[in-house]
Amino acid sequence: YDALAQDLKRRNEYPTRVLHLWSTEDDPAHGSATENFDEAQTRSFYSVIFLSQALAKASATAPVQIGVVTNCLHSVFGDELLRSNEATVLGACKVISQEYPNLRCRNIDVVLSDGGNAGALIQEMSKEPFQAVVAYRKGRRWLENYDSIRLERPTAKMPVLADGGVYLITGGLGNIALLLAEAIAAEVK
């Protein structure tokens, strides 16, 4: 990736848009989840991370948009055979813009068997306003959306410790941790 980005910069052909297609696979049911996890991380998560690092290193100011295309990563209709091995690439897509202000990364999820995705991908890379997560299903564009909800304040105070509760004390079994564990055990079952 470093050699590619440096060579493109040297030839004055530095990209403004990059489509990353390694996160797609023809058959989502191919192999077992554990067999393909490491391969999926190399092909999607690490590949996107290394690509963005190389682009940022080659030119820290030139704006570049990266479209990370995935196959069946998001549930839109609820009947898709999802490929959870690729899910870590979403974290990379969300963090890249925070780490490198000149890079914008979006996830474009498709179903390869739907067909007609090439035109949608090209159009998506030019769409504004920028959407970080987009899914295409059966020729339609779906956007990630959040609804705000209002949480009411609880009327009764919740107990800090409860009988039958499970408590995790981290930091080893030093004196403070042992004293804390004894205090909890003495107060509740």
Side-chain angles (χ1 to χ4, degrees):
Y1 293 109
D2 287 333
L4 172 65
Q6 291 297 333
D7 188 53
L8 289 171
K9 183 178 179 183
R10 183 184 52 76
R11 294 187 310 176
N12 206 23
E13 295 176 355
Y14 198 75
T16 57
R17 290 180 175 84
V18 176
L19 265 178
H20 182 278
L21 298 165
W22 279 4
S23 298
T24 60
E25 186 177 282
D26 289 336
D27 182 10
H30 173 70
S32 73
T34 53
E35 284 175 14
N36 291 324
F37 183 76
D38 290 337
E39 178 187 332
Q41 297 314 292
T42 299
R43 196 179 56 244
S44 59
F45 178 78
Y46 291 115
S47 178
V48 170
I49 293 291
F50 296 149
L51 172 66
S52 61
Q53 289 172 339
L55 290 172
K57 191 185 306 180
S59 180
T61 58
V64 180
Q65 187 180 140
I66 303 169
V68 179
V69 183
T70 54
N71 176 29
C72 296
L73 184 61
H74 299 284
S75 176
V76 175
F77 295 126
D79 61 351
E80 298 94 342
L81 181 57
L82 300 179
R83 297 180 58 233
S84 60
N85 283 349
E86 309 286 340
T88 56
V89 79
L90 288 174
C93 287
K94 290 186 181 203
V95 171
I96 285 170
S97 298
Q98 296 169 9
E99 293 290 324
Y100 307 108
N102 63 310
L103 303 181
R104 290 197 311 175
C105 190
R106 74 172 79 202
N107 171 235
I108 308 166
D109 193 46
V110 298
V111 176
L112 292 180
S113 61
D114 280 356
N117 292 314
L121 294 175
I122 291 168
Q123 285 182 348
E124 187 60 42
M125 292 299 288
S126 300
K127 285 213 189 274
E128 291 294 337
F130 179 85
Q131 294 290 327
V133 178
V134 178
Y136 282 88
R137 298 291 187 273
K138 300 177 184 175
R140 297 197 56 199
R141 182 176 185 251
W142 298 83
L143 304 177
E144 183 178 54
N145 188 9
Y146 296 97
D147 292 328
S148 63
I149 60 170
R150 182 179 169 91
L151 298 176
E152 300 298 326
R153 288 189 178 270
T155 54
K157 281 206 171 222
M158 299 294 293
V160 175
L161 301 174
D163 281 340
V166 176
Y167 304 95
L168 174 66
I169 301 171
T170 63
L173 293 176
N175 288 336
I176 294 175
L178 285 174
L179 287 173
L180 184 57
E182 288 172 357
I184 291 171
E187 192 164 325
V188 294
K189 296 177 185 170

